[in-house]
């Protein structure tokens, strides 16, 4: 049923009121036709009697109350999906913008998706080797995980994400994979950096790009990640592919959400962001995962820049409560010239425990992981003390820990953007560093494993 | 009776023509028959919160009231099941609609086809009152489900017989004094927002053994008590909750995943059937009911989920069981409350939360406690309620944390700096507290004489470490007196060798009271012996370096059955090595 009205009564971008409507439903998609024939899309946010409040996805510029028509389409915003999407570039509304032919969809999917039944989830446990020691060794990524990168403006998060996309693989398998990349309000340069990297490695043929750049309509940013996830769900759960989804930058997404919320005059929550932002973000992030009996998977790496480098800002804070860990980049390490500048201590992967150990990586993985973390924490503490009191005030053990912390940053973290370390190399490097410490301090390691893996010191 | 929708705004729907409906009635909305609940009435129009996604709903669609408030079904079949926030069985929904949750699914909460073996305990002619046990059903290997006379029914049993029944078939008939006959089935319905009745409430007096050293030793919780676990993300709230669900010495665990991650529920679903209860030897799943309303599921059902959970807990409490209710996380519940309140255009209180946030939280936690159940056998049951709190940015000055802290008696404050150093459980011993320490002292003194004294000593050492650390930061460790350096060393041992506990290592995941008592004893004894030796002139660094130290460091990993003797050996070794140093010191 298509109904057309010429009764727009109010426009306050991005919202619009349409009067005297009938049969309009919540969340329905609509099309506005301007007097010059141009068409724009919008969706219904609220229907109260015969008044519908709709939200524009594009700018309101040029819309005229008397001459514009609104046509309600009877279905929510959908994306036509097909395997032909691989290798193509779309805008935030799912229309091709690479000059290629239109997609012949196999079917149309509601971009909001449906919540996954918790009893249908399969627990992610397959180790993904990213070739980055700080991730593989300490914050292990597994298939079906959502692991965001918390960055700050000016840090090389794009380089790290591209490195992961380039190097990630599951040991001993050769299954079909795909990358879904959603550019949400980022600059042309940043988006092009990713696309060039995909092109260079040949991954571009297996990549679907949804692009909403900084000069595209801000409201469209709300649908961009959902378009990307709808495509990812189709490829993963219907075409059995292992899909890596990169969403950048979630901060721009949240700002678009705030813009719409403010226009709706909703009661704001913290820092003006709407009170439902947690739920809203969760309905995106939770679409990552694996399903029982399905071969494919969605692994998600959202990237966000923390405003003022503040981890307690609502965007990183709510994200951290939903995602299964976080990789945090540090400005201090970046200044020291360490690449990638992963701040190991506050970073975390919640799903690591099921992905490491014998049969998946190596039996000593869990133990060394814990030991490296606590030794690095102790080392940083010792170094702090050293800056206040001078080196002389440290005990012999503390000096060793301080040296360990330095070496750890220099050799373990600082591996560069092009090095692809195998998990065995990463674990062995960990042991080499731990051999700097007195054995009585290595309480988190099993005695047998120390005997087996600890490199023997030459001077002794 | 049915009305018509006039307004749709997200999960809030307004409908007219419902003058005869009651506030809190469950309604069916639209052609898909979505489930909703009436929140407000104005004239003949009702504001309804819909528990499912409302996309595609518009004015003109029909709304039908069921005339009953939101209720749960109670009976055999609850255990091992996983439900959503309004008690729809997720496994059966999956069979019906596939991997995602479609809308308007109607599946009964308790399986209607399953046949249970009912064993009659009462006999015809017995006079019964509400709560009396009519018979039992072996629901799982671990748990006997007691079929009770429902509240509001009393009289003489007309007929009762054991045998195989489905939940809807009458197992007995009770005749009331006026001659009315009440068939009793194995299923009871109860509105979730109303607490189930009991005879008396008592002060909690027994501890709940969690197997977690920092909890049982430093900040114990009583059976029937209330606790909160606040912490920023990544501090291990969920692991603490999972550990409690796994190892607590209660009969039944109700685990409510309220607005949290889907994979966490999957983890429980996968892991619990494999794990053995250290007491009964049966799988942990057999005593567990799961409520999963994950963050991507509709927000209105999230609001209902904690009530659904605690009502199920009350039902098992009424059978005389000790029940633990773990809600992860109450902050997400409060956010759902805030969202609905905003859509109802209520005047917001602090940070946009409705003004009734604190009273709702208090009502929830007040449903915990030790009670004498209904029924003539004066059995006792308890509900221990533990809620995770997820304060934004880890800052507990926000309304949900503050309102919770005013109610609960135990506070396990998680700390991100401990988590960064991988000190888990990251329960901060300086900010946490338990108001049950005094109440439980009698129990500890009778079971483990000396335990409380050790605890107090350990707490004192940890407190002193904090103030000494301030000095160390200013002047360095070497300028401290030998006694103070000893305190720092013991505190380090307490932290690393006692408080840290690895939930992912089988050897360490659970510690019995006895093991905790002996392990703490070893460390405190080391402290005392060293102080004696120092007084006799032994060298401090030599005392720190004795070989027995490394064994103490690994002592927590020693398995039940062998730790008693091994700890004895360690102590012997430690005494000897310290004595040797003293003797050596005197020689010089």
């Amino acid at each position: 049923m298509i109904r057309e009205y010429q009764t727009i009564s109010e426009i306050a971008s991005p919202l619009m009121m349409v009067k005297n409507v009938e049969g309009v439903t919540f969340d329905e998609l609509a099309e506005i036709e301007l007097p010059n024939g141009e068409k724009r899309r919008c969706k219904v946010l609220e229907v109260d009697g015969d008044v519908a409040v709709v939200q524009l996805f594009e700018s309101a510029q040029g819309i005229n109350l008397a001459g514009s028509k609104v046509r309600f389409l009877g279905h929510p915003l959908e994306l036509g999906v097909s395997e032909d999407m691989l290798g193509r570039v779309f805008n935030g509304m799912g229309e091709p913008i690479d000059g290629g032919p239109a997609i012949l969809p196999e079917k149309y999917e509601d971009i909001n998706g449906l919540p996954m039944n918790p009893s249908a989830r399969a627990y992610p446990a397959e180790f993904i080797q990213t070739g980055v020691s700080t991730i593989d060794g300490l914050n292990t990524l597994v298939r079906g995980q959502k692991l965001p990168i918390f960055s700050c403006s000016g840090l090389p998060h794009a380089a790290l994400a591209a490195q992961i996309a380039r190097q990630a693989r599951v040991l001993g398998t050769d299954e079909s994979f795909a990358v879904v990349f959603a550019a949400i309000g980022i600059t042309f340069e940043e988006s092009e950096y990713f696309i060039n990297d995909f092109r260079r490695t040949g991954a571009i043929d297996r990549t679907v790009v949804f692009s909403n750049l900084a000069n595209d309509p801000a409201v469209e940013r709300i649908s961009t990640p959902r378009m990307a996830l709808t495509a990812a769900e189709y490829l993963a759960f219907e075409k059995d592919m292992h899909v890596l989804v990169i969403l950048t930058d979630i901060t721009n997404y949240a700002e678009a959400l705030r813009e719409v919320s403010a226009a709706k005059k909703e009661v704001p929550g913290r820092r003006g962001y709407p009170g439902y932002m947690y739920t809203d973000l969760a309905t995106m992030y939770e679409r990552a995962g694996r399903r029982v009996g399905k071969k494919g998977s969605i692994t998600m790496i959202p990237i966000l820049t923390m405003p003022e480098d503040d981890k307690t800002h609502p965007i990183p804070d709510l994200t951290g409560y939903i995602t299964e860990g976080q990789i945090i980049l540090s400005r201090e390490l970046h200044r020291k010239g360490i690449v990638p500048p992963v701040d190991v201590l506050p970073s975390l992967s919640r799903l690591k425990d099921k992905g490491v150990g014998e049969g998946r990586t190596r039996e000593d993985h869990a133990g060394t992981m814990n030991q490296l973390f606590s030794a690095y924490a102790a080392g940083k503490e010792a170094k702090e003390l050293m800056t206040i009191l001078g080196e002389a005030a440290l005990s012999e053990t503390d000096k060793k820990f301080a040296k360990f912390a330095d070496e750890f940053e220099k050799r373990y973290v600082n591996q560069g953007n092009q090095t692809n370390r195998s998990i065995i190399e990463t674990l062995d490097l960990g042991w080499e560093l731990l051999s700097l410490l007195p054995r009585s301090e290595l309480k988190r390691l099993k005695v047998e494993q120390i005997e087996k893996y600890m490199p023997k010191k030459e001077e002794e | 009776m049915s009305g018509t929708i006039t307004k749709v705004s997200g999960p809030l729907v307004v409908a007219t023509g419902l003058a005869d409906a009651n506030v809190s009635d469950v309604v069916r909305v639209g052609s898909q028959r979505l489930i909703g609940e009436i929140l407000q009435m104005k004239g003949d129009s009702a504001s309804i919160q819909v528990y499912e996604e409302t996309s595609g709903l518009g004015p003109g669609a029909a709304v039908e009231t069921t005339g009953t408030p939101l209720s749960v079904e109670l009976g055999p079949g609850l255990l091992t099941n996983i439900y959503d926030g309004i008690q729809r069985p997720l496994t059966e929904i999956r069979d019906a609609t596939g991997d995602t949750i479609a809308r308007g699914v109607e599946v009964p909460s308790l399986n209607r086809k399953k046949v249970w073996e009912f064993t009659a305990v009462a006999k015809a002619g017995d006079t019964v009152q509400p709560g009396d046990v009519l018979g039992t059903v072996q629901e799982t290997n671990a748990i006997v489900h007691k079929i009770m006379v429902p509240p509001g029914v009393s009289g003489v049993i007309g007929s009762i017989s054991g045998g195989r029944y489905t939940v809807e078939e009458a197992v007995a008939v009770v005749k009331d004094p006026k001659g009315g006959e009440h068939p009793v089935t194995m299923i009871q319905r109860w509105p979730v927002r109303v607490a189930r009745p009991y005879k008396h409430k008592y002060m909690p007096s027994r501890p709940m053994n969690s197997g977690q050293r920092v909890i049982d030793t430093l900040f114990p919780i009583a059976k029937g008590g209330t606790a909160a676990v606040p912490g920023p993300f990544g501090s291990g709230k969920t692991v603490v909750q999972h550990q409690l669900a796994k190892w607590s010495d209660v009969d039944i665990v109700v685990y409510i995943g309220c607005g949290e991650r889907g994979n966490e529920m999957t983890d429980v679903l996968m892991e619990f059937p494999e794990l053995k209860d250290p007491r009964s030897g049966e799988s942990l799943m057999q005593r567990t009911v799961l409520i999963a309303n994950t963050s991507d599921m509709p927000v209105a059902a999230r609001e209902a989920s904690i009530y659904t959970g605690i009502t199920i807990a009350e039902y098992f409490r009424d059978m005389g069981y000790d029940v633990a209710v773990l809600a992860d996380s109450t902050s997400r519940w409060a956010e759902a409350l805030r969202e609905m309140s905003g859509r109802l255009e209520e005047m917001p209180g602090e940070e946009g939360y409705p003004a009734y946030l604190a009273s709702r939280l208090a009502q929830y936690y007040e449903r915990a406690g030790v009670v004498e159940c209904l029924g003539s056998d004066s059995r006792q049951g308890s509900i221990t309620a533990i809620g995770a709190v997820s304060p934004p940015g880890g800052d507990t000055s926000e309304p949900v944390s503050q309102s919770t802290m005013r109610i609960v008696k135990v506070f396990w404050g998680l700390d991100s700096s401990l988590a960064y150093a991988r000190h888990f459980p990251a329960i901060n011993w300086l900010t946490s507290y338990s108001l049950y320490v005094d109440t439980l002292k009698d129990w500890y003194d009778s079971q483990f004489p000396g335990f409380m004294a050790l605890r107090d000593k350990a707490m004192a050492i940890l407190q002193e470490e904090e103030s000494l650390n301030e000095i160390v930061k200013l002047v360095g460790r070497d300028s401290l007196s030998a006694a103070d350096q000893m305190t720092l060393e013991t505190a380090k041992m307490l932290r690393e060798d006692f408080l840290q506990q690895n939930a992912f290592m089988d050897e360490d995941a659970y510690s019995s009271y006895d093991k905790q008592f002996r392990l703490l004893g070893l460390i405190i004894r080391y402290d005392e012996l060293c102080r004696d030796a120092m007084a006799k002139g032994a060298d401090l660094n030599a005392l720190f370096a004795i070989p027995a130290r490394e064994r103490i460091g690994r002592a927590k990993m020693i398995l039940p059955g062998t730790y008693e003797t091994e700890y004895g050996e360690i102590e012997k070794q430690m005494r000897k090595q310290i004595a040797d140093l003293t003797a050596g010191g005197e020689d010089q």
Side-chain angles (χ1 to χ4, degrees), chain A residues 26 47 49 115 117 121 123 278 286 294 311 317 320-324 347 350 354 373 389 443-445, chain B residues 6-8 56-57 90 99 101 234 259 261-263 266-267 295 332 391-393 420 422 474 496 500 554:
Chain A
F26 174 69
V47 239
N117 189 325
R121 278 183 190 270
Y123 199 79
Y278 174 84
E286 280 287 323
K294 293 276 165 70
K311 194 162 72 92
D317 189 52
Y321 274 122
I322 306 162
T323 53
E324 285 137 351
S347 296
R350 292 167 189 272
K354 298 268 165 36
F373 267 122
L389 300 167
K443 288 179 190 167
R444 291 165 191 248
L445 296 171
Chain B
T6 58
K7 178 183 174 180
V8 184
L57 215 55
L90 287 170
D99 290 347
I101 302 173
R261 303 176 184 88
N263 277 330
T266 313
D267 189 20
S295 54
R332 305 300 162 223
Y420 293 166
R422 296 315 188 252
L474 291 175
E496 293 180 358
Q500 281 182 14
R554 297 183 188 278

Side-chain angles (χ1 to χ4, degrees), chain A residues 301-322:
Chain A
I301 302 190
I303 300 172
L304 59 88
T305 41
M306 298 183 278
E308 299 160 40
D309 302 5
D310 177 9
K311 194 162 72 92
T312 64
H313 183 281
I315 301 169
D317 189 52
L318 295 179
T319 298
Y321 274 122
I322 306 162

Side-chain angles (χ1 to χ4, degrees), chain B residues 7-258:
Chain B
K7 178 183 174 180
V8 184
S9 166
L12 181 78
V13 165
V14 180
T16 55
L18 289 168
D20 291 340
N22 312 308
V23 171
S24 305
D25 274 1
V26 169
V27 292
R28 293 292 191 152
V29 181
S31 56
Q32 286 180 300
R33 297 180 53 76
L34 309 180
I35 302 170
E37 184 181 1
I38 297 181
L39 293 181
Q40 289 181 352
M41 302 282 303
K42 219 178 268 170
D44 72 341
S45 86
S47 300
I48 298 159
Q49 77 170 344
V50 180
Y51 290 127
E52 298 175 77
E53 174 62 47
T54 51
S55 166
L57 215 55
V63 175
E64 194 186 309
T65 164
T66 59
T68 47
L70 184 66
S71 304
V72 287
E73 292 186 350
L74 305 165
L78 286 170
L79 292 171
T80 75
N81 222 327
I82 175 166
Y83 293 108
D84 78 350
I86 47 174
Q87 213 207 5
R88 292 183 302 177
L90 287 170
T91 329
E92 282 161 51
I93 288 184
R94 184 175 164 225
D95 295 340
T97 71
D99 290 347
T100 52
I101 302 173
R103 294 185 288 160
V105 200
E106 282 186 70
V107 185
S109 304
L110 293 177
N111 191 330
R112 294 293 190 267
K113 297 210 179 77
K114 178 148 187 177
V115 178
W116 299 94
E117 185 73 42
F118 173 77
T119 314
V121 173
K123 51 188 190 303
D126 286 357
T127 307
V128 290
Q129 58 184 35
D132 278 349
V133 177
L134 292 173
T136 59
V137 167
Q138 189 74 40
E139 187 176 352
T140 64
N141 287 338
I143 299 296
V144 172
H145 193 111
K146 296 174 186 165
I147 306 298
M148 298 168 289
V149 178
V153 175
S154 57
V156 178
I157 298 177
S159 67
I160 182 168
S161 59
R164 295 168 63 75
Y165 297 93
T166 65
V167 284
E168 283 182 311
E169 289 168 332
V171 293
V173 175
V174 176
K175 284 185 193 155
D176 67 30
K178 291 178 190 150
E181 293 202 343
H182 304 273
V184 178
T185 65
M186 293 195 278
I187 197 169
Q188 290 191 20
R189 283 185 189 75
W190 194 264
V192 296
R193 297 182 201 279
V194 181
R196 282 175 64 88
Y198 52 83
K199 273 190 187 155
H200 299 289
K201 209 166 204 172
Y202 295 103
M203 287 295 280
S205 61
R206 294 166 300 147
M208 186 180 87
N209 178 1
S210 66
Q212 310 305 303
R213 291 186 290 267
V214 59
I215 292 177
D216 288 346
T217 301
L218 294 189
F219 310 106
I221 180 169
K223 277 186 182 144
T226 51
V229 197
F233 65 83
S235 57
K237 273 189 303 299
T238 303
V239 180
V240 169
Q241 292 264 22
H242 280 197
Q243 286 298 95
L244 290 168
K246 283 176 193 166
W247 307 121
S248 294
D249 66 335
V250 291
D251 303 303
I252 306 283
V253 171
V254 179
Y255 191 95
I256 310 166
C258 173

Side-chain angles (χ1 to χ4, degrees), chain B residues 496-524:
Chain B
E496 293 180 358
D497 305 339
F498 185 75
L499 295 180
Q500 281 182 14
Q501 191 168 359
N502 191 333
F504 300 103
M505 268 192 187
D506 297 342
E507 301 91 339
D508 198 24
Y510 173 83
S511 275
S512 64
Y513 279 124
D514 185 60
K515 187 174 170 184
Q516 299 186 24
F517 179 40
R518 287 172 195 248
L519 182 55
L520 187 59
L522 266 185
I523 296 170
I524 299 295

